Amino acid sequence: MASSAQPPAAAGGAGPDGGSLAGSGETFGDRSLSQGLSVLVGLGLCVTMLGLGCAVELGQLGQQLRRPVGLLLALLGQFVAMPLLAFLLALIFALDEVAAVAVLLCGCCPGGNLSNLMSVLVDGDMNLSIIMTASSTLLALFLMPLCLWIYSRHWINTAVVQLLPLGAVSLTLGSTLLPIGLGVLIRYRHPRAADLLVKISLWSLLVTLVVLFILTGTMLGPDLLAQIPASVYAIAVLMPLAGYALGYGLATVFKMPPHCRRTVSLETGCQNVQLCTAILKLTFSPELIGSMYMFPLLYALFQSAEAGLFVLAYKMYGKDSYKQDTLGEEEDTDISYKKLKEEEVADTSYGTVTTEEHNSIQMEPTQTSL
């Protein structure tokens, strides 16, 4: 165990700000609020997963399994596109091993509940959104450790990757199955209670993130912004934005309708940051991970802001075209109805003329006989 205590210090000093990261990690670990923060993260994750399970209906799940487009999109978006994107960004910005592992963890996470809320605001396909979130969460049990193992090979000779607890990651993911299964059961037995729990889980997501920002900022001290490299902030901005673009492009390749493209876009870019935070907090020592514990929180901040801009742009520009398409369908129906009424009127007038002509024909022989 004595030999394992030395690598974290080496890991902290490997990056450009390695010394400060290690120092912040020690401060972070010595704080009494650290244990309470771990409990908060665990509870928040359980509530989020419970709400996700409550949003899944067995009938819809069966339909999606018979036509597994949502499952395929979740597989390609969350475990092909996003991990590769995180890996490339870590290489382009030349991150040290600690920051790279934090970015990879976030990129390999399944979809988050934020995408379900945003899909409602952009008139997306809610069934597709929920199925993609649920299926990516289940697939993460096997694919997330695999993706981490594949993409961390570039930093294999560093201490933090050698200590990467893939077993603990799998255990944390496995622990999420119980609240998901309980939520599915509640949806099946008590639909009204399930609807209430879904709303509670969405609010808990917001509250948990705000509390994590406040507590983590307090525990890490006022030098937090200086300790995190600018490249990490750049990745936190670019990664969700690129994820939204990749998701939209993926849905376009599958020739999906516009409302489904918006849904897949949000599902791909919105990661389960609560799960990423829980893994970083529960599986890595504070001295090892340092201020990179903040990366999923930064990602949550920017993914929410960018998704909000997405929704705002849709409300300002896309909503009108969506209404026009809907009205166009109604106008087509009205035009068909008007044509039908006109034909009925024409038929009636034609019958009247025929009757008058028939009467006039009957009258002509009478005049001749006189």
Side-chain angles (χ1 to χ4, degrees):
M1 295 298 293
S3 61
S4 62
Q6 186 66 26
D17 297 325
S20 62
L21 292 179
S24 67
E26 292 173 0
T27 303
F28 182 77
D30 293 338
R31 297 280 184 164
S32 60
L33 289 177
S34 181
Q35 190 64 31
L37 190 59
S38 299
V39 174
L40 176 64
V41 169
L43 289 176
L45 181 62
C46 288
V47 174
T48 301
M49 294 298 100
L50 178 65
L52 175 60
C54 288
V56 177
E57 295 185 5
L58 294 178
Q60 297 174 356
L61 184 61
Q63 293 177 1
Q64 291 293 330
L65 291 177
R66 288 191 294 269
R67 189 171 175 268
V69 178
L71 181 65
L72 179 60
L73 289 171
L75 174 65
L76 294 177
Q78 297 297 340
F79 302 108
V80 176
M82 291 304 292
L84 180 59
L85 174 63
F87 174 72
L88 293 177
L89 288 174
L91 289 182
I92 292 172
F93 286 93
L95 297 184
D96 63 87
E97 65 273 14
V98 177
V101 167
V103 171
L104 285 176
L105 270 172
C106 192
C108 295
C109 277
N113 285 23
L114 177 66
S115 59
N116 305 140
L117 176 62
M118 293 300 178
S119 294
V120 174
L121 298 177
V122 297
D123 298 318
D125 189 333
M126 277 305 299
N127 292 334
L128 177 62
S129 177
I130 292 171
I131 290 300
M132 285 187 67
T133 303
S135 59
S136 66
T137 302
L138 297 177
L139 289 171
L141 184 63
F142 308 100
L143 295 181
M144 186 176 177
L146 178 61
C147 290
L148 285 173
W149 181 81
I150 292 173
Y151 289 107
S152 65
R153 297 298 90 191
H154 181 77
W155 299 273
I156 188 61
N157 294 324
T158 59
V160 68
V161 173
Q162 290 175 357
L163 297 175
L164 185 63
L166 295 178
V169 171
S170 299
L171 183 62
T172 305
L173 288 168
S175 65
T176 63
L177 297 181
L178 180 60
I180 291 176
L182 179 60
V184 173
L185 180 62
I186 293 175
R187 166 62 65 181
Y188 180 72
R189 295 287 183 86
H190 308 285
R192 291 185 179 179
D195 292 335
L196 178 62
L197 287 173
V198 170
K199 295 178 181 179
I200 292 175
S201 69
L202 292 175
W203 279 106
S204 71
L205 173 63
L206 176 63
V207 172
T208 302
L209 291 176
V210 171
V211 173
L212 284 176
F213 270 116
I214 296 173
L215 290 183
T216 306
T218 302
M219 295 165 67
L220 286 174
D223 297 331
L224 173 63
L225 297 178
Q227 293 169 358
I228 299 178
S231 58
V232 174
Y233 283 100
I235 292 177
V237 174
L238 293 175
M239 192 168 160
L241 190 62
Y244 295 142
L246 286 173
Y248 197 90
L250 185 63
T252 303
V253 170
F254 277 80
K255 299 180 179 179
M256 303 189 76
H259 71 289
C260 290
R261 295 180 189 179
R262 296 191 295 270
T263 303
V264 176
S265 174
L266 291 168
E267 281 293 328
T268 305
C270 290
Q271 300 295 87
N272 192 336
V273 291
Q274 283 185 304
L275 178 61
C276 184
T277 303
I279 291 174
L280 287 174
K281 180 62 182 171
L282 301 177
T283 62
F284 289 98
S285 65
E287 295 82 4
L288 181 64
I289 200 63
S291 62
M292 285 302 101
Y293 171 75
M294 284 293 292
F295 178 76
L297 303 180
L298 292 175
Y299 189 96
L301 175 63
F302 289 112
Q303 82 169 2
S304 302
E306 291 166 4
L309 292 176
F310 188 173
V311 172
L312 181 62
Y314 173 74
K315 295 295 185 182
M316 293 177 62
Y317 303 104
K319 188 76 173 178
D320 294 336
S321 61
Y322 177 78
K323 288 181 178 180
Q324 288 176 1
D325 292 340
T326 306
L327 290 174
E329 294 177 358
E330 295 177 355
E331 287 175 0
D332 291 341
T333 305
D334 293 340
I335 291 173
S336 300
Y337 177 74
K338 289 177 181 178
K339 288 182 178 179
L340 180 61
K341 294 298 292 181
E342 289 175 357
E343 290 176 358
E344 289 178 356
V345 172
D347 291 341
T348 305
S349 61
Y350 177 77
T352 305
V353 172
T354 304
T355 304
E356 292 176 355
E357 289 179 352
H358 181 68
N359 291 336
S360 62
I361 291 173
Q362 287 181 348
M363 291 176 63
E364 286 178 358
T366 305
Q367 293 176 357
T368 306
S369 60
L370 289 173

